[in-house]
Amino acid sequence: MDGRRFDVVVIGGGINGASSAQHLAAAGYAVPLVDKGDFASGSSSRSTGMLHCGLRYFETPNPVRDFMLSPRRFRTALTMAKASMQTRAELVTDSSGRLMPYTLCFPIYKNGPYKPWHLDIGFRLLGALGPKTVPLDYRRLPPDEARRLPLVDALADPAQLRSVATFREYMLDWPERFCIDAVLDAERMGAVVRNHTTARLIERDTSGDWRIGLTGNDGESTVTAPVVLSMAGIWIDAVNRPVQDGTGGKRYILGTKGSHIAVQLPSEFHDYGIATVNSIGEPHYCLPSQGGYHHIGPTETVYEGDIEDIRVNTSEVDFLLAETRTVLPGLELGSSDVVYSWAGVRPLTYDPDIPKGNRSREIHDLTDQGMPNVLAMTAGPVMSHRSAGREMTAAVRRLVDPSGAAQNPDYTPRKLPEDANALPVVDGDDSVRLSHLGYVAETEHAASLSDILFARTGLGYCHQLSDSQIQTAAEAVSAHLGWNDAEIHRQVDTVKTRRDRLHQPAPDAE
Ligand SMILES: Cc1cc2nc3c(=O)[nH]c(=O)nc-3n(C[C@H](O)[C@H](O)[C@H](O)COP(=O)(O)OP(=O)(O)OC[C@H]3O[C@@H](n4cnc5c(N)ncnc54)[C@H](O)[C@@H]3O)c2cc1C
């Protein structure tokens, strides 16, 4: 890439950078996409993985009063909810293989946070706003009928339960895979994609082009482009800082940490999730996920710590267990039930008036920071990555014309080739076979065993891989990636460390 001029450079290959590269390439732009780690290794690998229908935009302490007092707020809620319903319909229609459908249940208690009519009106609005092709299947069940549902029968206070609202929702199964698919589709349309490559804004030259330094496994190079997208998530401020021009360095990102725990519940619970509100008034979910686990969480606390090393604290695990014991005492969960835990930091929009950050997705023009033609995106969820990519492309179009011809993006989830004769990596799970690992290594920009077993195949999330499974997997890809015995050993150790970090009890408070 050294010395090459592009139309636009995308820094950051999380879900929003990948989608931007995909849509820019489709619009005919010459674009490289670079990530300092693996694609999707930032916040995109740490989410709760929910595809929200948009109900949360109507959730305020008193919706009728709050929206009557602020019609503008109501209009915003309608717009956001409509966008969520459209996203939901789009993903369910063309990426159903990457989603896991389930029934989400809202318990409604006599003095609880949800009022029956709030939910009835909220879902009627969502039904009216969204496409009719992907129904919500909303129902409000009386307590005796609801308590026959799995998981619901573990709820607290049966005598106070007035009803349970249920509807069809989806989990993104698993978020990184959406990102890898977008990266590969961008590449199919001509984008140059590089993971494990750090980008550095150097300067804007007299012709108006930005010079961007790249440092990767293959050394140093410099590329130029008139437009740069800073899609670096929680690292956006760090990417900007070296070139913010005597402006004091405006802050764009506020990170909030979210921790989760995973537990194994009886298999009949697997199609059901519960949404409640915790003791501090924040959403508390118990949701089905890959591998038959239920994910519980998330927490939400402002995070100013080391963004390269985000870990779950023991106190957060205790908090999540205590909250779950209050809401779902019938599950009788204790610390020995926690199979794994993980945390991430949400790249929210910094707003000094909102202590836990602004959740609205924003595109920032950094001209007033001495960075003309640099755009940054904050607070883009995984689920709406396609609209994020389209919006970024529209914003780039206002700055520069594409140098190439337009093409159509292909959202079809990539499939592994049929190979019924090869052994599965994990006995009993035929979805990924040993021969697939080499295929993934050669065709999906995987540089390490960890890249293959987590982001690309999801195996490390669905299964607690044994030492021998990891060793066999490393040997299966070694010839494809040119690894000798020492390298195989190093790769195996790295995956074991990642597995143990997920599956070991959380460390003591930091
Ligand atoms: C706890 C939690 C729960 C969440 N729950 C949900 C949910 O249920 N549903 C949902 O839709 N969303 C959810 N989200 C939000 C979602 O995960 C994030 O908003 C989204 O992943 C952000 O994607 P991104 O591409 O903007 O950033 P990231 O995924 O963080 O990508 C930024 C990338 O930039 C790279 N980078 C940084 N600096 C450089 C550099 N100098 N050079 C090259 N590359 C660089 C990083 O390596 C990283 O890969 C959740 C997030 C968290 C943390």
Side-chain angles (χ1 to χ4, degrees), residues 53 57 78-88 129 383-384 387:
C53 64
Y57 297 116
L78 287 176
T79 308
M80 309 271 275
K82 184 173 180 182
S84 289
M85 284 296 283
Q86 281 168 337
T87 294
R88 178 178 183 272
L129 289 169
M383 60 172 268
S384 57
S387 70

Side-chain angles (χ1 to χ4, degrees), residues 11-18 34-52 56 172 197-200 231-236 239 256-260 298-299 342-348 377-384:
I11 301 177
I15 189 71
N16 290 312
V34 292
D35 199 289
K36 69 184 178 63
D38 190 16
F39 299 118
S41 57
S43 303
S44 299
S45 61
R46 309 299 182 93
S47 95
T48 313
M50 294 179 79
L51 208 179
H52 294 276
R56 64 182 170 163
L172 303 160
T197 301
T198 302
R200 185 171 44 92
M231 305 299 286
I234 40 176
W235 293 269
I236 281 173
V239 168
T256 66
K257 181 179 176 188
S259 291
H260 311 78
T299 57
W342 83 99
V345 173
R346 304 169 185 88
L348 302 180
M377 176 175 275
T378 53
V382 175
M383 60 172 268
S384 57

Side-chain angles (χ1 to χ4, degrees), residues 8-13 16-18 20-21 24 31-35 199 227-231:
V8 46
V9 171
V10 180
I11 301 177
N16 290 312
S20 299
L24 285 163
V31 56
L33 169 72
V34 292
D35 199 289
V227 178
V228 177
L229 302 189
S230 177
M231 305 299 286

Side-chain angles (χ1 to χ4, degrees), residues 392-409:
M392 283 316 266
T393 303
V396 170
R397 227 180 250 289
R398 292 192 278 276
L399 301 173
V400 65
D401 289 329
S403 57
Q407 313 171 55
N408 288 324

Side-chain angles (χ1 to χ4, degrees), residues 288-366:
S289 194
Q290 315 105 309
Y293 299 115
H294 270 74
H295 291 168
I296 293 174
T299 57
E300 181 144 29
T301 47
V302 172
Y303 189 76
E304 304 281 4
D306 179 2
I307 47 181
E308 304 294 340
D309 184 32
I310 299 150
R311 307 200 67 175
V312 182
N313 295 339
T314 312
S315 57
E316 290 163 337
V317 173
D318 292 344
F319 172 79
L320 290 171
L321 281 171
E323 293 292 335
T324 311
R325 278 194 295 266
T326 306
V327 180
L328 289 158
L331 298 181
E332 298 179 349
L333 291 181
S335 50
S336 61
D337 296 302
V338 178
V339 186
Y340 61 90
S341 58
W342 83 99
V345 173
R346 304 169 185 88
L348 302 180
T349 306
Y350 177 73
D351 179 338
D353 297 330
I354 307 179
K356 284 197 179 177
N358 187 342
R359 293 189 113 81
S360 84
R361 188 177 77 198
E362 308 275 349
I363 297 178
H364 308 271
D365 176 338
L366 305 188

Side-chain angles (χ1 to χ4, degrees), residues 53-343:
C53 64
L55 185 72
R56 64 182 170 163
Y57 297 116
F58 300 126
E59 283 172 19
T60 81
N62 187 333
V64 175
R65 190 201 58 203
D66 295 344
F67 287 135
M68 283 202 10
L69 285 177
S70 174
R72 193 160 148 256
R73 190 170 168 191
F74 184 52
R75 276 197 303 277
T76 307
L78 287 176
T79 308
M80 309 271 275
K82 184 173 180 182
S84 289
M85 284 296 283
Q86 281 168 337
T87 294
R88 178 178 183 272
E90 182 179 357
L91 293 185
V92 173
T93 304
D94 62 26
S95 299
S96 61
R98 298 256 183 266
L99 300 174
M100 205 185 86
Y102 69 102
T103 300
L104 185 55
C105 307
F106 288 92
I108 303 169
Y109 285 99
K110 201 154 171 238
N111 295 314
Y114 302 120
K115 305 278 173 277
W117 58 275
H118 284 177
L119 289 166
D120 291 350
I121 293 176
F123 277 101
R124 202 164 300 157
L125 271 173
L126 289 174
L129 289 169
K132 307 288 169 274
T133 43
V134 181
L136 287 157
D137 293 339
Y138 174 67
R139 296 171 71 203
R140 201 152 57 68
L141 306 174
D144 48 342
E145 191 182 339
R147 287 191 74 84
R148 289 200 288 273
L149 295 177
L151 201 56
V152 172
D153 61 358
L155 282 169
D157 272 343
Q160 298 297 314
L161 195 62
R162 283 178 70 182
S163 70
V164 175
T166 69
F167 75 106
R168 180 110 303 223
E169 197 51 293
Y170 298 83
M171 294 296 283
L172 303 160
D173 189 18
W174 58 109
E176 290 112 298
R177 194 59 239 189
F178 278 91
C179 182
I180 302 293
D181 284 355
V183 168
L184 296 173
D185 193 46
E187 185 176 42
R188 177 189 65 79
M189 292 184 288
V192 178
V193 303
R194 293 275 188 281
N195 50 0
H196 305 286
T197 301
T198 302
R200 185 171 44 92
L201 279 170
I202 302 173
E203 62 180 359
R204 193 165 183 245
D205 65 26
T206 46
S207 71
D209 276 3
W210 278 96
R211 287 202 312 126
I212 299 113
L214 305 178
T215 309
N217 295 338
D218 47 0
E220 302 272 336
S221 51
T222 306
V223 295
T224 58
V227 178
V228 177
L229 302 189
S230 177
M231 305 299 286
I234 40 176
W235 293 269
I236 281 173
D237 291 334
V239 168
N240 297 346
R241 210 163 291 128
V243 278
Q244 274 167 326
D245 189 10
T247 56
K250 185 172 167 189
R251 181 174 180 179
Y252 291 93
I253 287 286
L254 181 116
T256 66
K257 181 179 176 188
S259 291
H260 311 78
I261 53 175
V263 297
Q264 184 97 58
L265 299 180
S267 58
E268 66 267 24
F269 291 6
H270 195 237
D271 291 334
Y272 292 87
I274 298 274
T276 56
V277 174
N278 66 17
S279 59
I280 50 172
E282 293 177 343
H284 182 80
Y285 298 107
C286 175
L287 303 170
S289 194
Q290 315 105 309
Y293 299 115
H294 270 74
H295 291 168
I296 293 174
T299 57
E300 181 144 29
T301 47
V302 172
Y303 189 76
E304 304 281 4
D306 179 2
I307 47 181
E308 304 294 340
D309 184 32
I310 299 150
R311 307 200 67 175
V312 182
N313 295 339
T314 312
S315 57
E316 290 163 337
V317 173
D318 292 344
F319 172 79
L320 290 171
L321 281 171
E323 293 292 335
T324 311
R325 278 194 295 266
T326 306
V327 180
L328 289 158
L331 298 181
E332 298 179 349
L333 291 181
S335 50
S336 61
D337 296 302
V338 178
V339 186
Y340 61 90
S341 58
W342 83 99

